[in-house]
């Protein structure tokens, strides 16, 4: 009998097959099925137990990464944040993403860039983004979604940790073996403006690309979950 992770992996492959081709169009039905499958994933499904989480808290790195699978269309991984750590604001150029918390609690602050055309960040250039209300997300909550246009930037803070989340992105970031040109850009906020448009209050922020903080780095951990075959 196929494991829950194997079923999820096969649906991700189906949903994003040919993602890098010019004629690709996302099938919303397949995407919603993928999300419903991801909603059911638990720490036990990837064999992430309390001993592993406690060992992460003792590591020098603020974050640990468990690489599960990657090809030209998708990447699947687990990210584990130590208590009090914040993953800096970063983008996902041209990507769809699903994030499912499987341990602990995180606060996700998402942003939507107000740009048109290709998502290509220029250094020393300011950008305007809509700041969405922050969300506290725990392992009993559904998977969060980002798209190439909506909530494409986020920062993630560990509120109750260590906290872990399963991540599916399509297509992957830069990779010479796949010919992808999708760098991960970090940002910092330089200002904010509260506005009322169409009767709704919203906050816009000014962003500039920045270097990844030198004290934010990660180490890799082995994937101990069921094989994908």
């Amino acid at each position: 009998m196929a494991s829950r992770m194997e079923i999820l992996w096969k649906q991700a492959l189906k949903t994003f097959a040919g993602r890098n081709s010019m004629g690709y169009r996302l099938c919303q039905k397949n995407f919603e099925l993928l999300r419903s499958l991801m909603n059911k994933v638990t720490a036990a499904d990837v064999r992430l137990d309390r001993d592993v989480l406690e060992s992460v808290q003792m590591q020098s790195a603020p974050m640990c990464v468990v690489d599960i699978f990657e090809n030209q269309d998708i990447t699947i991984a687990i990210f584990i944040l130590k208590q009090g750590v914040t993953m800096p604001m970063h983008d996902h150029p041209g990507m769809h993403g699903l994030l499912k918390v499987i341990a602990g609690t995180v606060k996700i602050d998402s942003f939507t860039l107000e740009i048109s055309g290709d998502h290509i960040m220029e250094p020393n250039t300011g950008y305007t983004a809509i700041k969405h209300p922050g969300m506290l997300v725990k392992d009993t909550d559904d998977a969060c979604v980002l798209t190439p246009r909506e909530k494409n930037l986020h920062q993630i803070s560990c509120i109750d940790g260590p906290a872990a989340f399963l991540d599916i992105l399509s297509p992957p970031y830069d990779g010479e073996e796949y010919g992808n040109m999708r760098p991960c850009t970090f940002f910092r906020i330089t200002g904010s403006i509260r506005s009322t448009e169409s009767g709704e209050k919203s906050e816009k922020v000014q962003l500039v690309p920045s270097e990844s903080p030198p004290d934010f780095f990660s180490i890799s951990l082995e994937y101990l979950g069921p094989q994908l075959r």
Side-chain angles (χ1 to χ4, degrees):
M1 182 177 178
S3 68
R4 185 169 286 170
M5 278 300 296
E6 187 175 0
I7 294 170
L8 178 72
W9 167 64
K10 289 181 177 179
Q11 181 61 34
L13 290 174
K14 179 180 180 180
T15 300
F16 297 115
R19 181 64 175 81
N20 280 306
S21 64
M22 292 293 293
Y24 175 82
R25 292 186 64 183
L26 178 69
C27 173
Q28 198 62 35
K29 183 178 180 180
N30 282 336
F31 187 82
E32 291 301 328
L33 177 55
L34 177 63
R35 189 184 184 195
S36 70
L37 291 172
M38 198 161 180
N39 290 341
K40 300 174 183 177
V41 174
T42 67
D45 292 318
V46 293
R47 297 176 189 162
L48 183 70
D49 60 22
R50 178 50 54 181
D51 289 341
V52 174
L53 292 172
E54 289 179 354
S55 70
V56 167
Q57 192 63 34
M58 303 300 293
Q59 298 282 354
S60 60
M63 180 175 75
C64 294
V65 180
V66 181
D67 292 314
I68 298 177
F69 178 82
E70 181 171 291
N71 68 2
Q72 70 275 15
D73 294 323
I74 64 172
T75 181
I76 305 175
I78 299 167
F79 295 84
I80 309 172
L81 298 176
K82 292 170 65 172
Q83 175 68 36
V85 165
T86 294
M87 179 186 292
M89 188 194 310
H90 59 283
D91 67 350
H92 308 79
M95 300 180 190
H96 286 85
L98 299 102
L99 182 159
K100 175 67 174 75
V101 174
I102 55 175
T105 303
V106 299
K107 180 175 183 283
I108 303 178
D109 291 296
S110 299
F111 304 80
T112 295
L113 284 170
E114 292 193 322
I115 59 174
S116 58
D118 292 337
H119 182 137
I120 300 175
M121 300 294 100
E122 299 290 341
N124 303 315
T125 300
Y127 297 93
T128 302
I130 297 170
K131 183 181 186 300
H132 300 278
M135 297 173 53
L136 285 178
V137 187
K138 52 185 183 296
D139 58 356
T140 54
D141 292 319
D142 288 348
C144 301
V145 172
L146 63 87
T147 75
R149 298 294 183 191
E150 297 290 326
K151 299 184 177 182
N152 192 265
L153 279 62
H154 62 207
Q155 68 180 24
I156 303 172
S157 302
C158 179
I159 304 300
D160 179 19
F165 56 89
L166 177 67
D167 209 42
I168 298 179
L169 293 175
S170 178
Y173 283 111
D174 270 355
E176 291 183 5
E177 65 269 41
Y178 307 134
N180 294 336
M181 295 297 292
R182 295 181 182 84
C184 179
T185 302
F186 291 91
F187 296 85
R188 59 183 175 87
I189 296 175
T190 59
S192 63
I193 305 170
R194 292 192 178 276
S195 64
T196 302
E197 296 181 3
S198 302
E200 295 185 2
K201 293 182 179 179
S202 64
E203 182 179 0
K204 294 185 179 182
V205 294
Q206 299 295 320
L207 307 175
V208 293
S210 66
E211 297 293 328
S212 175
D215 58 350
F216 184 79
F217 59 98
S218 66
I219 61 172
S220 296
L221 297 181
E222 182 183 0
Y223 173 59
L224 302 175
Q227 291 185 347
L228 306 179
R229 55 193 175 191

